[in-house]
Amino acid sequence: MKHLLSIEKLARADMDIILADTVTLKRERGRHAQLPLAGQTWAMVFSKSSTRTRVSFEVGIRELGGQVIFLPSHEIQLGRGEPIKDTARVLGRMVHGAIFRTFAQSDVEEFAHYAHIPTINALTDQEHPCQILTDIFTFQEKRGPVQGKVITFIGDGAGNVATSLVFAAGKAGFELRLAAPKAFQPAAELVKRSGGKIVVTEDVKAAAAGADLLYTDVWVSMGREKESAERLHQMNGYQVNADVVRLARPGALVMHCLPAYRGKEIDEETFEAHAQTIFDQAENRLHVQKAILSWLVG
């Protein structure tokens, strides 16, 4: 049985299938020849709030012929302490697939193990595979193959987006530069495990020089609010702005997986100058996730 639990565990061949299918699904939106989820009901189990992930999956499931049940954790017994494995075994008998958005990576993996239905990681504190597949698709849609290109991520280099980018670099063959304060850099073991060309530095200018893509994310992720003051202090100087963009390759893309906090990880002027790319990136969550769903049931 197939799952999408992490970029680390996704085979390169399967990544290529998903990205190729996305092209077709985006082009044929509203007139799909096949509805692979017809007759199916999928559950969305969310412990974290969401805009793009929730809307894109709900719309995507319906456009592929399926039905969807949205289950915030506080509205089901999971929120009252029922073990994940028990919730998984119940849902596994009633629905055809699950989309899980939660805190610990081990939780989504435990759910998949006990539910015995296709399971998608819609974000954990450790990985964000749907977002990174979308980022690669968006880059390739605009600039061609990502292999051999330079992607620079500026900000929290140990967060879920950065971690998934580390593993994607090894599979997709791009150079990843992570510019982050020392306390927010990925573990050396994780970087080594990825097998990719990864540069980790505190030097934003060196990381941005000649990059094909500049990428950032919020400095304070969900669940990290108590660390907000310290994070904002340490991240000072790790903003994507006009000075940083000028260091990149001419015509370099700027991406942000949203929500964006202007004046922190990116300034207003730079965000608006690259809004077309950023909101194309947001829209592409829908198309990529439809390809993921189709791959899982295919």
Side-chain angles (χ1 to χ4, degrees):
M1 178 171 296
K2 290 186 285 190
H3 307 290
L4 178 61
L5 304 181
S6 70
I7 293 294
E8 181 178 17
K9 295 180 180 179
L10 180 67
R12 170 62 192 269
D14 290 328
M15 177 186 290
D16 289 343
I17 289 170
I18 291 167
L19 294 172
D21 288 349
T22 302
V23 176
T24 302
L25 288 165
K26 183 172 184 177
R27 184 177 63 244
E28 296 180 354
R29 186 183 182 193
R31 46 188 177 84
H32 297 313
Q34 297 180 330
L35 298 176
L37 301 189
Q40 295 192 10
T41 300
W42 282 61
M44 296 174 60
V45 184
F46 278 38
S47 299
K48 288 189 174 188
S49 59
S50 168
T51 300
R52 281 150 291 277
T53 301
R54 177 178 176 177
V55 173
S56 55
F57 267 118
E58 288 202 28
V59 172
I61 289 168
R62 291 189 174 101
E63 290 190 357
L64 294 178
Q67 301 293 323
V68 60
I69 304 172
F70 182 70
L71 300 172
S73 62
H74 67 274
E75 293 185 5
I76 59 177
Q77 297 302 323
L78 191 64
R80 297 181 63 235
E82 181 175 57
I84 287 173
K85 61 183 179 182
D86 291 355
T87 298
R89 286 184 284 199
V90 169
L91 291 179
R93 292 166 180 253
M94 297 183 181
V95 300
H96 300 89
I99 298 155
F100 206 119
R101 183 178 175 93
T102 188
F103 293 89
Q105 180 71 21
S106 58
D107 288 350
V108 72
E109 292 177 358
E110 181 180 4
F111 183 95
H113 176 76
Y114 284 98
H116 300 295
I117 54 176
T119 301
I120 297 172
N121 174 359
L123 176 144
T124 66
D125 288 346
Q126 287 72 41
E127 279 226 44
H128 200 353
C130 296
Q131 181 64 59
I132 269 52
L133 289 171
T134 299
D135 300 335
I136 293 172
F137 174 80
T138 304
F139 182 91
Q140 295 192 154
E141 183 179 48
K142 294 177 177 295
R143 295 290 187 269
V146 74
Q147 186 172 0
K149 303 297 185 182
V150 175
I151 293 178
T152 295
F153 182 90
I154 299 172
D156 183 359
N160 51 15
V161 169
T163 297
S164 288
L165 279 171
V166 166
F167 291 121
K171 294 178 186 294
F174 58 84
E175 177 182 336
L176 176 64
R177 301 175 187 169
L178 295 170
K182 201 73 173 177
F184 297 96
Q185 294 179 357
E189 184 277 330
L190 184 146
V191 172
K192 182 178 179 180
R193 199 166 79 228
S194 76
K197 186 177 182 180
I198 316 292
V199 176
V200 181
T201 180
E202 296 179 78
D203 190 335
V204 173
K205 292 182 179 179
D212 297 287
L213 165 62
L214 299 174
Y215 192 177
T216 191
D217 190 10
V218 296
W219 288 343
V220 184
S221 298
M222 287 177 286
R224 306 282 188 181
E225 288 80 7
K226 291 182 179 180
E227 306 169 13
S228 179
E230 180 62 22
R231 281 175 168 264
L232 293 178
H233 172 71
Q234 293 207 46
M235 293 289 183
N236 185 36
Y238 288 85
Q239 183 186 81
V240 174
N241 52 40
D243 291 338
V244 174
V245 173
R246 277 193 286 270
L247 297 170
R249 186 181 298 276
L253 298 176
V254 173
M255 289 190 190
H256 193 306
C257 56
L258 301 177
Y261 294 89
R262 296 158 172 85
K264 293 184 172 64
E265 71 274 4
I266 190 168
D267 69 351
E268 173 77 17
E269 179 185 5
T270 303
F271 184 93
E272 290 301 332
H274 297 272
Q276 182 67 52
T277 295
I278 291 168
F279 289 102
D280 284 347
Q281 178 188 8
E283 177 197 332
N284 283 337
R285 287 289 299 278
L286 168 64
H287 309 300
V288 171
Q289 287 163 187
K290 286 167 70 174
I292 292 167
L293 290 160
S294 298
W295 167 72
L296 286 174
V297 302

